[in-house]
Amino acid sequence: MTTFLGLPVHAPRGVGHLRGDEPFPDAARKALANTQLRRNIGHATATIRAKRAAVVAELDDWEQLRLAGEAIKTATMLRLDDHLEQLERRVTERGGTVHWARDANEANEIVTRLVQATGESEVVKVKSMATQEIGLNEALEEAGIAAFETDLAELIVQLGHDKPSHILVPAIHRNRSEIREIFLREMAGVDPELTDDPRRLAMAARAYLRRKFLSTKVGISGANFAVAETGTMVVLESEGNGRMCLTLPETLITVMGIEKLVPTWTDLEVFLQLLPRSSTGERMNPYTSAWGGAHTLDDGSPDGPRDFHLVLLDNGRTATLADEVGRQVLNCIKCSACMNVCPVYERTGGHAYGSVYPGPIGAVLSPQLTGVEDNASLPYASSLCGACFDACPVRIDIPSVLVHLRAQHVEEQKTARRLPTPEAVAMAAASWTMSTPKRFAAAEKASRAARVLGGKKGRISTLPPPLSGWSGSRDAPVPPKETFREWWARTRDVPS
Amino acid sequence: MRIALFVTCLADGLFPDVGKATVTLLERLGHEVVFPAAQTCCGQMHINTGYQADALPLVRHHTEVFAPYDVVVAPSGSCVGSVRHQHAMVARRHDDELLATRADEVAAKTYELSELLVDVLGVEDVGAYFPHRVTYHPTCHSLRLLRVDDKPLRLLRKVRGLDLVDLPDADQCCGFGGTFAVKNADTSTAMLADKMRNVLDTQAEVATAGDSSCLMHIGGGLSRLRAGTRTLHLAEILASTDEAAP
Amino acid sequence: MSATGSTDAAKEEILQRIRSALGSRPAAEPAPRDYRRAGAEAPGSSALLDLFEDRLVDYKATVHRTTSDHVGDTVRSVIATLLPQGGSVLAASALPDEWLPEVTRDTGFTARELDQFAGVVTACAAAAAQTGTIVLDGSPDQGRRAITLVPDLHVCVVRAEQVVETVPELLSRLDPTRPLTFISGPSATSDIELQRVEGVHGPRTLAVVLVTP
């Protein structure tokens, strides 16, 4: 066991899916060239944006709900230890078992041991960000346990040997004909006459999974919320696969990030309004399940799994909590509204972010879970347009956290490197120049030399690196003969 | 009213006509414009790129330069956004609570041009004449940081001769984002391509906005295409009259 | 389980990390609660029932109004319409006898046995009009969760006075220590090109029998 030294502990390397193989700009370049992907994602995000806008407009107290959601989550984080201990007590009283996992490896070990203890070699899973984050399926596979994803989109991703690209609609990057091809190729016993009609595809998944649901003895889930005062776990879903996994197996294992708590049952009245409208654009999702430990009904008969295990996961969340600006990201209820409004996500899709958490929220969450140096390009993967804040149901100020993480990255670079980066040199020089008007005016005069680049065209079409990134697709303006301050001095005759 | 002009470093060095138009417009409306010659830059590029330590002297300088004035105007939603939402933050990051307080005081009297005209001066018809087909792009920071809402449109609707056409998907970012345009040039260009398509679909002769930076981006793309649409700052249109047109 | 020892150490360490992260434990602002908690309409009022029906139909449930004297007849006719080919129907163990005395009561069938039933009839615990949501809480007239999940048709009897307007009112009527299932329309997916398809793994048809006194 390691001794705790009080330093933030990030999610470990070598396990799970929080780090990409290449920096965002490189991954984005490839994604941008995939016209099919851009069409699919453009269509899907536009559709869901319109649905969300319509159901949000139905509520005249939407802003009050957002403010309440923000305040409840903020307060929860400031007493997270107390709430977690209360949750553990309540779940235990209700017949469940609570496990604590410092990181992905520990969580994977706990879940693997729990499954092994049942003697089963197959589990059914309901879509869960936490288990994707820690790479649970891979860990189970190494132990000889097959995990079946049961959410339709997760099934498409799993059968396609693919990665999810959106936290709510993980197969958003696939269109109907691609999905048909995957099913025909990978789904055992599928009707060879299968068409690309979404209804036919969904029915093929129903038939394929029903056998699993009726026979599998272990279910694995995440949780959207856990209520500390009552020990109630809450999962929102649409298809009924969640209810199947939460109800039919004999053993249920839920893996949940420690930040997913709300203190009271009453608090849920806010989030059960914010989440469905923000995520799927519905007034309410078709199914929400709430349960505690192992349930027995009034007549003494059992209802649902006999054994319930809750695994509480840190994996970099306490490190995020340690950052006073960045901790608001833990308030996230994983609705994905920010992705659907993000102009960057809409064009690159989710894979370019490299982490299971894509889009604006991923750009502020992944670097905090891993430490900013392991995801250093993500805080820059935004034009800071601010659409994400407006869409966020708990008012996370994503643009400000992006700017904060950029500063953290620059400061860490400064400490870590003997020589400053060329960018740091340029920024320091610009700061030196701009801190006095005299130097600034002199620099403006000097930049006039660039007029020669414009030639007779009156525009500049090529610039040296790194500014070639600009001139690759846009002309640059030619500096004028006279700056504003020179004009003012010449015409207004003010004493300098 | 005596109004201090924060012209912004971009307008000063690259787009002086925007500064001149702001002066012309406000003087035509009967106000006195002063130009504190010591001003330089708000430091937004430094802050948004992560160089807050380098931004600190710029924030301090800006605060000192503009503290003596009652009303400050800038022809930029983005720079006003930085003054209002970032200056105190930079000061606090460096534990300078005094500077943070003073920066907030300056921020409270700093206005973007359309805010100054509509909210402070109470004017929508500024007496401009601009007989052209125009489309308006609401820049992200004016829209979502300053919440200028439809103020620029209200001003444009009162301009004689102006044929205002709606820009499809107007509230979508043009892809500029400061150093984003260079660090993520490909994604930025993809965003710009859609913005240009929407601008060209309007068949406007002029695309306008309240930020020279976004206009430099959109205009740089349109110029590369040799498209028949030019960009002009909102101030330039509002300053335009029968006698003097940009 | 052998994990107990290490999980205790893990618990202590995570709690320590949280305390260290929070430092001086700043006090939190109380949450503002000025959103709408109570509805404008009284539970069971005719305006609410209309809204409830509208929202259910919007999410592709069918709604069948009846009065308390005719629940059994209405349920029978709904089943006859929605299961034209017949098929066996199950009811929650303590569904009121006067509703459907002839229907098989749940006696703890296995999942595979439940799969042989074409439909199930239950009552409900509470409902919210604004979102078209029905909640089951495992009471004897609603049964364990599996019976309303595996059969393909769910006929749910909702009494008018159980229908409130808002989500906060709905939650205040529920006991969070019971197993709860919130149902808003039949199961659905939008995973393929964001096109909504009703009926995936849960009952593909939801019929609501709405009973006024």
Side-chain angles (χ1 to χ4, degrees):
Chain A
M1 198 192 93
T2 49
T3 313
F4 180 64
L5 296 172
L7 289 170
V9 185
H10 294 111
R13 293 179 183 155
V15 60
H17 303 286
L18 287 171
R19 296 166 177 85
D21 302 328
E22 55 188 345
F24 182 83
D26 298 332
R29 189 174 308 117
K30 290 169 197 156
L32 288 165
N34 185 341
T35 51
Q36 174 85 70
L37 175 86
R38 287 183 64 179
R39 234 193 124 61
N40 294 353
I41 295 192
H43 167 72
T45 51
T47 305
I48 203 163
R49 275 204 301 271
K51 283 178 70 181
R52 175 193 168 275
V55 293
V56 163
E58 278 180 9
L59 294 187
D60 55 10
D61 58 348
W62 185 251
E63 286 310 311
Q64 287 93 315
L65 286 166
R66 286 179 81 210
L67 287 162
E70 176 189 24
I72 292 166
K73 278 290 190 176
T74 303
T76 306
M77 297 312 151
L78 295 179
R79 291 292 177 272
L80 190 56
D81 48 349
D82 297 344
H83 295 310
L84 283 169
E85 288 193 288
Q86 188 185 28
L87 177 73
E88 181 185 39
R89 280 196 301 277
R90 292 290 174 266
V91 169
T92 309
E93 283 164 16
R94 294 175 63 178
T97 309
V98 177
H99 310 260
W100 300 71
R102 281 163 282 203
D103 59 28
N105 288 316
E106 195 162 36
N108 286 336
E109 282 161 24
I110 292 168
V111 176
T112 305
R113 266 203 311 272
L114 289 170
V115 178
Q116 283 168 338
T118 66
E120 297 293 317
S121 59
E122 288 191 356
V123 299
V124 281
K125 279 188 71 199
V126 52
K127 191 174 122 43
S128 130
M129 293 311 300
T131 61
Q132 281 174 30
E133 171 190 325
I134 62 177
L136 178 63
N137 289 7
E138 292 86 340
L140 290 173
E141 198 182 329
E142 271 179 42
I145 299 161
F148 292 91
E149 293 291 351
T150 63
D151 172 78
L152 177 54
E154 291 288 357
L155 177 69
I156 295 164
V157 167
Q158 192 177 40
L159 291 177
H161 310 289
D162 196 359
K163 285 180 178 171
S165 64
H166 188 283
I167 63 177
L168 178 76
V169 211
I172 197 170
H173 56 292
R174 297 287 195 187
N175 67 16
R176 61 184 73 190
S177 65
E178 293 173 293
I179 294 165
R180 172 177 171 269
E181 281 166 31
I182 292 170
F183 280 12
L184 286 176
R185 198 173 59 233
E186 304 281 342
M187 194 180 260
V190 74
D191 174 8
E193 303 291 305
L194 183 68
T195 69
D196 67 1
D197 172 20
R199 163 156 290 280
R200 293 280 305 274
L201 295 168
M203 289 313 107
R206 174 185 167 98
Y208 173 74
L209 286 171
R210 182 145 284 230
R211 285 180 292 118
K212 294 284 170 212
F213 288 136
L214 296 182
S215 61
T216 309
K217 298 213 165 38
V218 183
I220 296 181
S221 84
N224 292 100
F225 303 101
V227 182
E229 71 165 359
T230 58
T232 308
M233 312 297 304
V234 184
V235 164
L236 283 72
E237 51 131 354
S238 296
E239 296 169 9
N241 63 310
R243 293 177 67 191
M244 294 277 181
C245 295
L246 300 171
T247 317
L248 298 185
E250 291 171 3
T251 301
L252 172 62
I253 304 165
T254 299
V255 182
M256 183 189 93
I258 52 172
E259 82 285 15
K260 307 232 73 169
L261 278 170
V262 294
T264 69
W265 176 248
T266 307
D267 294 331
L268 267 190
E269 70 189 22
V270 174
F271 298 104
L272 287 186
Q273 297 191 73
L274 289 173
L275 183 50
R277 289 180 201 257
S278 299
S279 59
T280 50
E282 293 167 304
R283 296 182 191 104
M284 191 66 91
N285 50 295
Y287 297 138
T288 295
S289 297
W291 77 97
H295 284 286
T296 309
L297 297 182
D298 303 355
D299 62 0
S301 63
D303 180 5
R306 286 189 318 239
D307 288 316
F308 170 59
H309 296 273
L310 172 61
V311 181
L312 296 170
L313 175 72
D314 180 350
N315 208 38
R317 285 160 178 77
T318 49
T320 308
L321 189 68
D323 187 316
E324 282 179 36
V325 177
R327 71 166 61 127
Q328 60 180 304
V329 172
L330 296 175
N331 296 356
C332 175
I333 56 174
K334 306 292 185 305
C335 73
S336 71
C338 62
M339 271 156 238
N340 302 327
V341 300
C342 177
V344 173
Y345 177 90
E346 185 177 2
R347 286 167 182 83
T348 65
H351 293 155
Y353 294 80
S355 158
V356 293
Y357 301 108
I361 192 68
V364 289
L365 179 58
S366 310
Q368 296 201 85
L369 294 177
T370 62
V372 76
E373 288 319 293
D374 278 15
N375 268 307
S377 67
L378 289 185
Y380 297 92
S382 164
S383 65
L384 304 178
C385 84
C388 48
F389 169 74
D390 282 7
C392 179
V394 291
R395 294 171 44 90
I396 299 170
D397 188 353
I398 295 175
S400 292
V401 181
L402 287 166
V403 168
H404 170 74
L405 294 177
R406 291 175 187 187
Q408 219 174 64
H409 169 59
V410 166
E411 283 157 15
E412 280 176 25
Q413 287 279 303
K414 210 169 176 177
T415 345
R417 295 170 71 109
R418 274 188 306 128
L419 289 173
T421 62
E423 180 184 275
V425 173
M427 287 288 172
S431 170
W432 183 82
T433 308
M434 287 169 162
S435 353
T436 78
K438 214 166 167 183
R439 288 181 209 144
F440 184 49
E444 283 182 324
K445 230 170 240 155
S447 77
R448 213 164 291 154
R451 284 177 64 79
V452 73
L453 292 173
K456 284 183 190 153
K457 300 179 298 190
R459 57 175 179 268
I460 299 172
S461 304
T462 16
L463 287 166
L467 295 177
S468 51
W470 177 278
S471 58
S473 53
R474 323 147 182 98
D475 289 341
V478 177
K481 283 184 189 146
E482 183 181 56
T483 64
F484 177 82
R485 71 178 63 233
E486 288 167 339
W487 171 80
W488 181 274
R490 180 169 62 77
T491 58
R492 303 297 166 119
D493 191 31
V494 286
S496 57
Chain B
M1 188 179 285
R2 187 162 182 265
I3 300 160
L5 173 65
F6 164 37
V7 74
T8 77
C9 64
L10 193 68
D12 183 12
L14 283 177
F15 303 101
D17 288 347
V18 173
K20 291 180 209 171
T22 308
V23 174
T24 306
L25 170 65
L26 293 174
E27 288 182 345
R28 192 175 74 218
L29 293 170
H31 302 284
E32 182 194 350
V33 180
V34 291
F35 178 71
Q39 65 182 275
T40 57
C41 165
C42 66
Q44 183 188 188
M45 179 186 71
H46 286 90
I47 300 165
N48 285 350
T49 313
Y51 293 84
Q52 294 203 22
D54 293 312
L56 184 65
L58 302 180
V59 170
R60 183 170 289 123
H61 182 74
H62 182 93
T63 305
E64 280 165 13
V65 168
F66 286 98
Y69 300 93
D70 295 332
V71 176
V72 181
V73 69
S76 163
S78 198
C79 301
V80 172
S82 181
V83 170
R84 228 180 260 176
H85 294 276
Q86 296 184 322
H87 276 195
M89 170 198 82
V90 171
R92 292 205 172 93
R93 195 180 182 94
H94 297 92
D95 297 320
D96 193 338
E97 195 54 40
L98 180 65
L99 176 60
T101 308
R102 296 187 61 215
D104 273 338
E105 284 163 14
V106 169
K109 55 191 181 183
T110 302
Y111 300 92
E112 182 270 344
L113 181 62
S114 72
E115 290 179 328
L116 178 82
L117 292 168
V118 176
D119 293 346
V120 182
L121 304 178
V123 56
E124 288 185 12
D125 185 347
V126 297
Y129 173 67
F130 191 74
H132 301 280
R133 189 174 170 90
V134 175
T135 193
Y136 168 73
H137 164 64
T139 65
C140 297
H141 291 174
S142 65
L143 197 65
R144 286 181 280 262
L145 267 185
L146 303 184
R147 311 276 173 195
V148 301
D149 201 22
D150 67 342
K151 283 164 205 160
L153 287 169
R154 275 147 68 189
L155 292 160
L156 286 168
R157 283 190 201 111
K158 295 282 166 61
V159 174
R160 280 179 301 120
L162 190 146
D163 176 15
L164 186 64
V165 265
D166 282 345
L167 179 65
D169 290 333
D171 61 358
Q172 289 267 314
C173 177
C174 74
F176 173 61
T179 47
F180 173 77
V182 176
K183 282 178 184 280
N184 279 285
D186 297 280
T187 308
S188 166
T189 299
M191 291 159 71
L192 176 61
D194 289 336
K195 181 57 70 181
M196 289 197 293
R197 178 172 49 74
N198 285 321
V199 167
L200 293 175
D201 279 352
T202 66
Q203 301 194 10
E205 183 194 336
V206 172
T208 189
D211 274 281
S212 297
S213 50
C214 309
L215 287 173
M216 175 173 76
H217 190 234
I218 299 168
L222 291 170
S223 157
R224 178 62 57 87
L225 294 184
R226 311 293 186 263
T229 302
R230 63 184 165 137
T231 49
L232 276 180
H233 192 282
L234 178 69
E236 295 176 276
I237 292 178
L238 297 181
S240 167
T241 58
D242 315 43
E243 296 83 41
Chain C
M1 204 183 85
S2 64
T4 317
S6 85
T7 201
D8 279 355
K11 173 184 171 180
E12 282 318 306
E13 187 168 334
I14 290 171
L15 292 174
Q16 276 272 21
R17 289 176 184 180
I18 292 169
R19 285 164 195 148
S20 165
L22 292 174
S24 57
R25 304 177 75 78
E29 300 286 318
R33 304 268 181 185
D34 50 356
Y35 52 86
R36 266 166 27 97
R37 301 186 80 183
E41 305 288 340
S45 66
S46 75
L48 269 197
L49 298 186
D50 289 347
L51 178 66
F52 183 49
E53 176 169 352
D54 176 76
R55 296 292 151 91
L56 284 166
V57 169
D58 193 28
Y59 284 156
K60 305 292 185 284
T62 61
V63 178
H64 314 268
R65 300 240 195 166
T66 190
T67 54
S68 46
D69 309 339
H70 298 95
V71 176
D73 295 340
T74 308
V75 173
R76 272 180 215 105
S77 110
V78 166
I79 291 170
T81 314
L82 295 174
L83 294 177
Q85 268 111 46
S88 49
V89 174
L90 179 71
S93 60
L95 197 75
D97 260 347
E98 64 269 27
W99 289 359
L100 282 180
E102 72 278 17
V103 166
T104 313
R105 296 303 200 254
D106 177 36
T107 49
F109 297 107
T110 66
R112 281 176 198 286
E113 287 164 344
L114 288 176
D115 201 29
Q116 303 309 309
F117 286 94
V120 62
V121 184
T122 70
C124 81
Q130 198 179 53
T131 55
T133 304
I134 293 162
V135 184
L136 310 179
D137 73 355
S139 292
D141 59 356
Q142 297 150 51
R144 60 204 172 98
R145 288 172 283 170
I147 65 164
T148 49
L149 176 61
V150 181
D152 209 10
L153 165 68
H154 179 195
V155 180
C156 187
V157 181
V158 180
R159 288 177 283 112
E161 71 273 16
Q162 293 182 305
V163 182
V164 296
E165 182 173 338
T166 66
V167 172
E169 289 171 289
L170 177 69
L171 292 199
S172 70
R173 288 194 171 203
L174 300 171
D175 174 358
T177 65
R178 303 186 72 91
L180 301 173
T181 304
F182 295 60
I183 299 171
S184 308
S187 71
T189 183
S190 299
D191 279 347
I192 301 170
E193 296 184 19
L194 270 300
Q195 184 172 320
R196 191 176 164 101
V197 174
E198 275 88 13
V200 195
H201 302 298
R204 284 181 286 189
T205 309
L206 172 67
V208 175
V209 174
L210 188 49
V211 187
T212 44

